[in-house]
Amino acid sequence: MIAKRVSNWGRWGDDDERGTLNLITPAKRAAAAQGVRHGIIHSLALPLGASGPQVPDSPKPPSGNTAWRPPQVRSNPVHTMLASGSDPEEINGLGGGAHFTDDMIHMHLQASTQWDALSHCYYEDMLYNGKPAASVTSAGARYHSIDKVADDFVGRGVLLDVARLHGVGRLPGSHVVTPEDLQRAADAEGVMVEEGDILLVRTGLLADWAATGSWLAVKERPQPGLGIACIEWLHQQGVAALAVDNTAVEALGTGAALKGPFHMLALRDMGLHLGEYWFLEKLAEDCARLQQYSFLLSSAPLPFENAVGSPINPIAVL
Amino acid sequence: MIAKRVSNWGRWGDDDERGTLNLITPAKRAAAAQGVRHGIIHSLALPLGASGPQVPDSPKPPSGNTAWRPPQVRSNPVHTMLASGSDPEEINGLGGGAHFTDDMIHMHLQASTQWDALSHCYYEDMLYNGKPAASVTSAGARYHSIDKVADDFVGRGVLLDVARLHGVGRLPGSHVVTPEDLQRAADAEGVMVEEGDILLVRTGLLADWAATGSWLAVKERPQPGLGIACIEWLHQQGVAALAVDNTAVEALGTGAALKGPFHMLALRDMGLHLGEYWFLEKLAEDCARLQQYSFLLSSAPLPFENAVGSPINPIAVL
Amino acid sequence: MIAKRVSNWGRWGDDDERGTLNLITPAKRAAAAQGVRHGIIHSLALPLGASGPQVPDSPKPPSGNTAWRPPQVRSNPVHTMLASGSDPEEINGLGGGAHFTDDMIHMHLQASTQWDALSHCYYEDMLYNGKPAASVTSAGARYHSIDKVADDFVGRGVLLDVARLHGVGRLPGSHVVTPEDLQRAADAEGVMVEEGDILLVRTGLLADWAATGSWLAVKERPQPGLGIACIEWLHQQGVAALAVDNTAVEALGTGAALKGPFHMLALRDMGLHLGEYWFLEKLAEDCARLQQYSFLLSSAPLPFENAVGSPINPIAVL
Amino acid sequence: MIAKRVSNWGRWGDDDERGTLNLITPAKRAAAAQGVRHGIIHSLALPLGASGPQVPDSPKPPSGNTAWRPPQVRSNPVHTMLASGSDPEEINGLGGGAHFTDDMIHMHLQASTQWDALSHCYYEDMLYNGKPAASVTSAGARYHSIDKVADDFVGRGVLLDVARLHGVGRLPGSHVVTPEDLQRAADAEGVMVEEGDILLVRTGLLADWAATGSWLAVKERPQPGLGIACIEWLHQQGVAALAVDNTAVEALGTGAALKGPFHMLALRDMGLHLGEYWFLEKLAEDCARLQQYSFLLSSAPLPFENAVGSPINPIAVL
């Protein structure tokens, strides 16, 4: 069974909470840094604002029993000010003519560019490394919370531009990325995926947004993404973490009976962190221009205690 | 007048919103990356949790008119779960036995390790580069919001360990850091502060927390920090951004009539971003051990639209 | 000019923050209570949940400059649990086998059944009774906040069922309610609108929701509501407060150049509190059945300090 | 065993979610209304603001393992503005010179004057009427949520002023209220507690706050409140709901092994809703002055879907 074959439970000890991030060694990290040539920088984060990427469903008449509706639909951040630039002295004054502004945010931790924590998914009542699912309580995750890996996610990034491989700006919704796609993209780019790499896969899904500002593509189903067959390939290459420019890393709306199988095998069995909603358009342009598909990637999460995910601003340095 | 002497208004154009971050050139950034030797990584962020670093005031009886109290006291993040590991299928089930967990955060954007945006402080109704203070409205900052510099803050970091210079674990509350402190620390460390460096200054204020878990030192007044005299030195060196391991970069509780003068000159006149609550203890240990006080620093903010600050997880790579 | 004719500035003193609520005398209130015959109770509140009444706009491609979007669109409450019934002892246990559950809410104060505070609207930089608009800061309203009238809004309620008057389940979107509508409804119902009454006007807009659970009618424009001509009639009758079963009391989408004129005259000039999103369907049925259109109404807001509105659960007792 | 003796499970059907509120009949409610003589009104709610009643603990050095801290400490509401009176037209303008203000709240649902829902407490994995505790999930309470009783809590209120009975402004912390206290207070007041009454018990705990604005008394332990022996008396009288001017209805800090026993028996076995943080000082003054200890009480919760409690503004009309 595939879950067994890709399992990393116990590989780095029974208390391990880093999973495949263990594959990023200091030597790898140093080499990645030293490989920077141009000093060109790209933020791979979508903006955190009121307009997206979460797109509310068009309203439709309810059906059946409407009394019980789990309120788990993600929405965009709500940003509010505590002190503005036209408030009176008593609100924003520090004395002596000095003034400040201040603000707050209320947000879902996984509604835009982010890393899933290993505690984000499970089956058979077990999280990665055999921890009980019930250890994720109303107070958050006791194990595998995102703050446990807050000094991680820095190393060599490799972009596999599968959309470019296929000569399209954006993969069609029906495209389920295969291991062959990944290997052929690497070959075409002249890059070797090595143990400890943080792998970025481009489907082109966010190209529309980059061009027009519209998030509608994010809602389409099916949506291109990685197929379950990629899991073993990722395991064999020793990928340390995986991020994609779509909403769920894996292909959505394919009609498979099992929902989220890729998440389950990656987060729970492999201990492979998954990144979603990564914005790869500008990085991909530069990679093509410079014919360089590896770079230094710095993408540490915020250290939210007990959290099962974190928004991030991943930075690629070429 | 000092404000005039250190002003960078117009230096990078009338529309500039990056301030001294303009001093980080691609060549500087590439050199910083190439200078990494060990691949050792340090997160410089405090945990984002319910226990600190914001410490509520001990309650005291109110005095005078209690009807009007501006509610601007910062508090620690409130983390809530939307789906836990013991919820029933209808809440956290994806089908086929797959399950997920999910969460939210409500937080002040400047209550722990963070960057102040240039729109965070002002006087005489003007922000940096001559933008009107009133452009910071209830909808946030139209200019100089933190998302404008979301692909920045990556370059060479330099740690000036002023506490170590003075042979103490932690500077006393009365210590106002001088330009001489900074220069002598650099000299003692054998490091040159260069144009475009991101400067980190260590007072040792968070040593107590690191040792005991107590945040009480954060509340003490006076609190060690940079004196106003440092501003011109920073300007002359061409520092790109400045972060300190205390609550406000500058010395607090010194009795000066003007409150927050350092903030005003740095953010508003120089366009120098300020970082607060940075955790430098472990980095400082390694710098001393390796006799290396410069490193690659990656500290980009989250791209909160219109926000006047952002929590960050700064990463130093030695 | 109409604003002058209906103005109540100074009528109850320069410090008055109650406006027309002053017209509810203890004697009126006692009479309203004593007039209760059946002990029948009706909540006039919509549910506070994730499904409505705020309906997000269908997504559409953005146009023009998308960089600046005031984030003031109201959304439905976000309810999160802090302790559930399947959490372990350490989270929800009190000792000795006792357990608790706990929760939080993040919500707009005016996104469902509510009272607008008098500080909610203004023109010419003045609030009701001549207070400066700038007294509403980032810390809230210094004057006319909703907590100032937290022990009010209890008295005789009168329902004017304008939809019923016109023999329809719901007024068409183009129907702008006139003073004649109000007077004729009162006449048809055999009720006299008296000084100090809290007036409820039914358009039938929420009938669809009551029947099908769909909130779509709330989004339609034009939307039936009170016309500006009603203002003087309300002033003459001495109405103490006014609530309607639509989103803004007044008619929307009529094409008038001035937006929200009714709000301005009512809240700012008259000091007349306005209630929106009131659910009147079941009350209206009972009023018709019992041929009784007056009742005891208890609709005090929550005492949110400095707030410009409050969600409420108005209770009618027949 | 006491739980069995006071149990109301099944008494109003297996699907009942109202508990002892079933005892408030329309006839009772009509009589309560008709009994109003003066039209005097009292809000029994504490202000919902940043200053209290939640008082943060004084900071103290942590002990032992600080890595896991359930974040369930309640705090005061966080109120933020979305549009203020000095914002520019683009933020708060409606067109034609009309302007609005708007705001939001983030709050615990049980941190001030409130009703506990019947789903707030449980033992032996069962809620009131035999519903499973696990039905309270991350999405809230499927049964016994506070919105299920949103058109309730209106009827005859009776104040038993136990502090006055004992001739003190405030009961000492060590005072555990007994059934005799309750009966003697009723006798002294000349009031009969009848089936279907909403009972209010005054300990005087909030007298300090009323006098000085200080919330410190709320933190003291022991804290006066009802003893477990009152449960059977309440059951025998047929009390419909119970509210007290303290933090937990029941006596706190008494050293009993079982924590919260009163809550368990009341909410879970009797189906008796509990009200906490009720402000009774001014009502008590008027009751004494008028020699009238019964009144019309209107205290419906906000209809938060799936919530296990709700802030309220209870209104007494004498």
Side-chain angles (χ1 to χ4, degrees), chain A residues 106-127:
Chain A
H106 189 223
M107 68 187 299
H108 293 257
L109 289 173
Q110 303 189 22
S112 188
T113 313
Q114 43 82 246
W115 282 120
D116 289 347
L118 296 184
S119 48
H120 173 53
C121 282
Y122 67 94
Y123 63 88
E124 291 177 3
D125 289 331
M126 289 278 196
L127 305 172

Side-chain angles (χ1 to χ4, degrees), chain B residues 131-200:
Chain B
K131 298 299 181 190
S135 63
V136 185
T137 67
S138 292
R142 181 185 280 266
Y143 305 105
H144 310 317
S145 55
I146 203 66
D147 55 317
K148 302 291 178 60
V149 287
D151 53 357
D152 231 308
F153 292 101
V154 178
R156 189 173 88 134
V158 168
L159 174 69
L160 298 185
D161 190 339
V162 178
R164 185 178 181 85
L165 171 74
H166 287 281
V168 296
R170 175 188 152 192
L171 294 176
S174 59
H175 193 105
V176 177
V177 174
T178 63
E180 292 70 36
D181 281 333
L182 299 179
Q183 188 58 58
R184 285 178 53 214
D187 295 345
E189 295 170 0
V191 72
M192 293 259 301
V193 177
E194 302 168 1
E195 187 172 273
D197 282 344
I198 302 175
L199 196 67
L200 314 187

